Amino acid sequence: MQKTSARLLSLLSLLQARRDWPGGLLARRLDISPRTLRRDVDRLRELGYPVVAVKGPDGGYRLDAGTRLPPLLFDDEQAVALAVALRTATASGAGIEDGAARALTTLRQVMPARLRHRIDALQVTAVERSTSRADGGVLMTLSAAVRAHEVLRFGYASPYPAETGEDTVPPPRRVQPHHLVTHGGRWYLVAWDLDRDDWRVFRADRITPRTPTGPRFTPRELPGGDVAAFVTGRFRGSDHSPEWPCRGEVVLHLPAAAVSPYAPAGTVEELGPDRCRLTLGSWSWPALAATIGAFDTDIEVIGPPALKEAFARLAQRCADAARSTPGALPAPREGAPPDRRAP
């Protein structure tokens, strides 16, 4: 009986590992006869596992989706991975903290002692929690629309409600949803805006879906074809590239070891014991100059000229701020170039 139970667990583990299993291959993996395999499959069905027969030249079996959730089987690595994921769910921003905590309690109760000790020793504090909390039901609705390729209508809250006015209700947005993504601790919907005829990235925590959904659509090709690169590019101020639109190179009078930890998105090259070359990007030239200036050391600008101009404008602003009187703003200088990126 013990041997049969162990074999059933092995069979169940194999059925969960891939979609379809030829009967002959499955029997060979378990080192049993096709007749024994059929009996074991019948036993799993009696236990509530929806194992269906797959027709074909070789025949086979598949663990199908059932109407109720039968007992699940995890190996040690899967159980530990699931527990770690549940412990860190507070940083997901998906509004599932309570459910994750209950699921972790349930999982811990059925774990063998050796795994419970490992999980109990893992105490995680999410320092970088999500800066916004998206409703789990909204995320499921968005994901379903993405999967079904259905036009989605939703209300979209303004980030500045005081400026739009409480009585102002903007019309619902109509989009073709393509991807639901996470970036920087927030959930976003990447979609084609039907009214603006362009790609848009919407914050999920500001979305209030309207029902019913619209007609089905044929998905468009995302610019560049890579959703991660597309979203990264949008947040860096570029429409079609994940690269920063403004990128410059300087020499800092600091050791490379003192700069590298604070420039994870840049390239640091050692030039000597107290000098290094830093290549860094940003969404605008003034922002790049301010980031580099935060190192509080002497700076030699290698290029481009737009970065030198940004340092000059930033220096003038700092001088104006040092001389300014509280409540008074300095007058704009004639002919001052724009602060955004160079063309």
Side-chain angles (χ1 to χ4, degrees), residues 164-213:
T164 58
E166 296 181 357
D167 298 332
T168 303
V169 180
R173 309 294 287 266
R174 297 186 313 117
V175 304
Q176 294 176 346
H178 283 256
H179 298 277
L180 185 62
V181 303
T182 59
H183 183 278
R186 289 194 176 106
W187 289 82
Y188 295 91
L189 177 69
V190 179
W192 176 265
D193 194 313
L194 292 170
D195 296 320
R196 291 158 177 78
D197 199 32
D198 194 10
W199 290 97
R200 290 290 191 271
V201 179
F202 300 94
R203 273 181 51 172
D205 60 309
R206 295 178 183 166
I207 292 177
T208 303
R210 305 285 181 87
T211 57
T213 55

Side-chain angles (χ1 to χ4, degrees), residues 86-251:
L86 292 172
R87 281 202 184 278
T88 57
T90 55
S92 69
I96 57 173
E97 292 85 351
D98 293 340
R102 293 196 305 271
L104 180 59
T105 299
T106 301
L107 178 65
R108 185 186 179 281
Q109 289 175 348
V110 298
M111 277 184 171
R114 67 180 187 279
L115 293 184
R116 280 202 306 272
H117 294 325
R118 293 177 62 184
I119 296 305
D120 291 343
L122 178 67
Q123 298 298 325
V124 180
T125 300
V127 176
E128 295 184 3
R129 290 177 178 267
S130 173
T131 54
S132 66
R133 178 171 173 170
D135 182 83
V138 170
L139 295 180
M140 294 298 293
T141 299
L142 300 181
S143 180
V146 170
R147 182 181 180 85
H149 305 311
E150 293 177 341
V151 172
L152 188 65
R153 297 183 310 118
F154 56 83
Y156 195 60
S158 170
Y160 311 108
E163 296 182 5
T164 58
E166 296 181 357
D167 298 332
T168 303
V169 180
R173 309 294 287 266
R174 297 186 313 117
V175 304
Q176 294 176 346
H178 283 256
H179 298 277
L180 185 62
V181 303
T182 59
H183 183 278
R186 289 194 176 106
W187 289 82
Y188 295 91
L189 177 69
V190 179
W192 176 265
D193 194 313
L194 292 170
D195 296 320
R196 291 158 177 78
D197 199 32
D198 194 10
W199 290 97
R200 290 290 191 271
V201 179
F202 300 94
R203 273 181 51 172
D205 60 309
R206 295 178 183 166
I207 292 177
T208 303
R210 305 285 181 87
T211 57
T213 55
R216 293 175 63 88
F217 63 90
T218 301
R220 301 168 183 265
E221 184 177 353
L222 193 69
D226 185 337
V227 63
F230 175 82
V231 172
T232 300
R234 280 297 174 102
F235 281 99
R236 291 184 172 183
S238 174
D239 289 336
H240 307 302
S241 171
E243 299 297 329
W244 289 109
C246 303
R247 193 170 181 85
E249 187 175 353
V250 300
V251 172

Side-chain angles (χ1 to χ4, degrees), residues 1-10 30-32 40:
M1 182 64 181
Q2 184 177 3
K3 182 177 180 181
T4 301
S5 300
R7 191 174 66 242
L8 288 178
L9 291 176
S10 297
L30 295 170
D31 195 21
I32 58 177
D40 287 349

